[in-house]
Amino acid sequence: MTIAPGRRGLPLAAACALLAACAGGSVSTAPTPANLSALEAQRAQHPSDPDLNLRLARAYYIAARYADARRALQTVLLAQPGNVSARAYLGLAYEGLERYDSARAVYTALLAGRPTRPVRRLLDGRLALLTQKELRQQARFAIARESLLVHAPSDLNTIAVMPFRYTGADSSLRPLERGLAAIVVTDLSRVRRLRLVEREQLQALLDELRLAASGRVDPATSARSGRLMGAGQVVQGQFSEVPTASFRVDASMVRASDAQISATGSGSDRLQALFDIEKTVVFQLLDKLGITLTPGERTAISERPTRDIQAFLLYSRGLEARDRGDFTAAAQAFQAAAQRDPGFAAAAQGAQTSQAAQTASTTPPAEVAVTLGGGGEGAGGGGGPPPSQNTLAGAINNTVPSGATSATEQTKPIPPTDPGRICEGKCDGVRATLTGTLVIIIKRP
C-alpha cells in the first residue's frame, strides 16, 4: 500500500487493513539504503513536512528501524493529530520496539473512534495478540531478575494458582488442568483480602521456564514460580479417576518463602459433580488458612460458571489452545462451549476474543481490504475525534526517550513501564498499583 503525497492519511478502515498487512509480514519490499537516503535528504530540506515524514516512517518501519519510524511519526502527529494512517503505523512501531503498553494505547484510541464492526474486530484482535506478547515479555523479565526477586518480601495474601496435574489415563480430561486452575483463580478472587495472579500470566512464566508436568506438584517448583510472580503462596493440585469415586481432586497451598505446605484440601465424587468437588477443595483451603468468609463471599464462591460439564470441558480445551497461540482451535472450542450453554459468559467472551485474534493474525491483506471496504478514501469508519495536541505530544514524547539514538533504542532491554501492578478481588478490570518490581495484570478468566 503506497501513501500518495498530499494526503492527510487513510480512513480508519484502510489503516486497519494496513495493520493486518504489516503485522502479518506482508508488506512491500524493504527499501534500499539508497531509497532511504533519498527520502532522508528530502526530509532534511523539509523537516516539518508531514507527508514526507509519513513516507519516511513507512520506509523505516519496513526496514525494521522502529525507533526512527516513531520519531518521524512524532512530526506527523504533532502537525496532524487526526492522521489515522500515522496513528496505525505508530502502534506497529511500538510493537516493533516491544513497547506494548504504548501500542495498546494507540489501538485503544483508534477503537474510540467508533469504527465499523469489522474494523473493531481487527483492532480487538491486535489487542488480544498484544496481551500474549506482554505476558511473555513480563515472564522473561521476571526470570532475568530472579536473583533479586528471591529476596523481595512476599505477601501471603497474594496467591498464584498452578495448572492442576492430571494423573489419570483418559486424555480427553487433560484440558481440565487449565480449566480447574481458572475456576480456582475466580473463586479465590471472590475473597476481598486475597489478590490473585492472573492465570495466563503464570502460564506464560511456566512456558518460558518449560517446566515438565511432574514439576507442577513439587513444592519447591511451586515456591519458585510464586516468587517469580510476586506471590506469597501458590496453589498446586492434581486430579484423577479413583476406584471409590469417579473423580478426585487434591490441592495444597505452598508458601513461596520456604516451600512449606500451609493448607490442603481434597474432594471426590462423580465427574458430573466437578464443581461441587472444586468448591469443597476451595472452602477447605480457605478454612485451613484461617480466613473467615462473609456471607456474600461464600455465596459468590458457590456460583457455577456453567451447569454443563461438557461445556466446561470444551472451555478448558479452548484455554489450552489459546495458551499455545492456536486461536482457530480456541475459537472453535469456546464457541462449542457457548452453544451448549448460552449462559456460559466466559466461553462466549473467549470465543469473541479468539476469533478476533485469529482474524488479526491470519487474514491475508487483500481479504482484509475487501472486508474493511476496499481501503478507499470513503471506506469504513472515520478515525473519530483526534486527541488534543498536548495529549498526543505527551504520549509520544514520554514513551520513548527523544534523546536516545536509534541503535540504543533498538538493542537495549525495555522493562515493563508500570512495575508491581496487581489487582485485588473484585476489581472488574481496574488495575491497582502496589510497590514491587514485577508487572502482573489481573483479569477474570
Side-chain angles (χ1 to χ4, degrees), residues 80-369:
Q80 299 175 350
N83 190 315
V84 178
S85 180
R87 290 161 69 186
Y89 266 119
L90 183 62
L92 291 168
Y94 280 138
E95 286 196 60
L97 288 166
E98 297 187 0
R99 293 185 176 272
Y100 302 128
D101 281 356
S102 299
R104 181 177 297 279
V106 172
Y107 298 149
T108 301
L110 289 172
L111 275 172
R114 301 180 298 280
T116 60
R117 188 172 181 177
V119 175
R120 174 174 291 277
R121 180 188 179 94
L122 183 56
L123 288 169
D124 284 342
R126 291 306 312 162
L127 290 171
L129 295 175
L130 272 182
T131 296
Q132 284 210 332
K133 292 180 180 179
E134 288 173 321
L135 294 177
R136 290 194 295 267
Q137 181 190 61
Q138 292 157 15
R140 291 192 298 269
F141 186 65
I143 293 170
R145 302 196 63 197
E146 182 171 9
S147 61
L148 298 177
L149 294 174
V150 168
H151 304 292
S154 60
D155 179 3
L156 292 178
N157 287 332
T158 302
I159 297 176
V161 180
M162 299 280 283
F164 279 58
R165 183 190 177 200
Y166 177 58
T167 60
D170 186 352
S171 60
S172 67
L173 298 179
R174 192 169 303 280
L176 290 175
E177 292 180 337
R178 298 173 199 236
L180 274 172
I183 55 174
V184 171
V185 168
T186 298
D187 287 348
L188 291 177
S189 73
R190 310 288 192 184
V191 183
R192 185 172 296 276
R193 65 180 280 187
L194 299 180
R195 305 176 183 89
L196 273 298
V197 172
E198 180 188 4
R199 186 199 70 83
E200 290 84 354
Q201 176 75 13
L202 180 57
Q203 186 62 53
L205 174 71
L206 298 179
D207 290 342
E208 286 293 324
L209 293 173
R210 292 181 172 83
L211 292 179
S214 60
R216 296 181 196 158
V217 291
D218 172 31
T221 297
S222 296
R224 179 194 180 197
S225 301
R227 289 193 298 270
L228 287 170
M229 289 288 95
Q233 300 193 86
V234 179
V235 176
Q236 61 177 31
Q238 61 185 26
F239 63 96
S240 184
E241 307 91 339
V242 293
T244 56
S246 57
F247 200 76
R248 179 182 176 90
V249 176
D250 297 283
S252 57
M253 190 79 75
V254 178
R255 287 195 301 266
S257 59
D258 55 12
Q260 294 300 304
I261 294 176
S262 56
T264 59
S266 64
S268 60
D269 205 328
R270 300 173 299 110
L271 176 60
Q272 293 301 316
L274 171 64
F275 298 124
D276 293 326
I277 301 172
E278 183 269 338
K279 306 303 177 188
T280 296
V281 170
V282 168
F283 283 130
Q284 288 178 6
L285 291 174
L286 292 171
D287 181 63
K288 292 179 181 179
L289 288 174
I291 296 176
T292 301
L293 300 174
T294 67
E297 290 171 339
R298 185 170 291 275
T299 298
I301 293 173
S302 299
E303 294 177 357
R304 271 67 171 164
T306 177
R307 297 287 177 179
D308 190 324
I309 295 300
Q310 288 301 317
F312 185 71
L313 180 56
L314 287 165
Y315 171 76
S316 300
R317 291 176 183 169
L319 293 178
E320 188 177 60
R322 189 173 66 187
D323 286 345
R324 67 173 182 266
D326 188 347
F327 295 108
T328 300
Q332 291 172 348
F334 287 135
Q335 186 62 42
Q339 288 174 348
R340 285 191 64 94
D341 181 1
F344 193 175
Q349 180 60 46
Q352 180 179 344
T353 302
S354 296
Q355 288 166 356
Q358 176 189 3
T359 298
S361 62
T362 64
T363 304
E367 292 184 20
V368 171

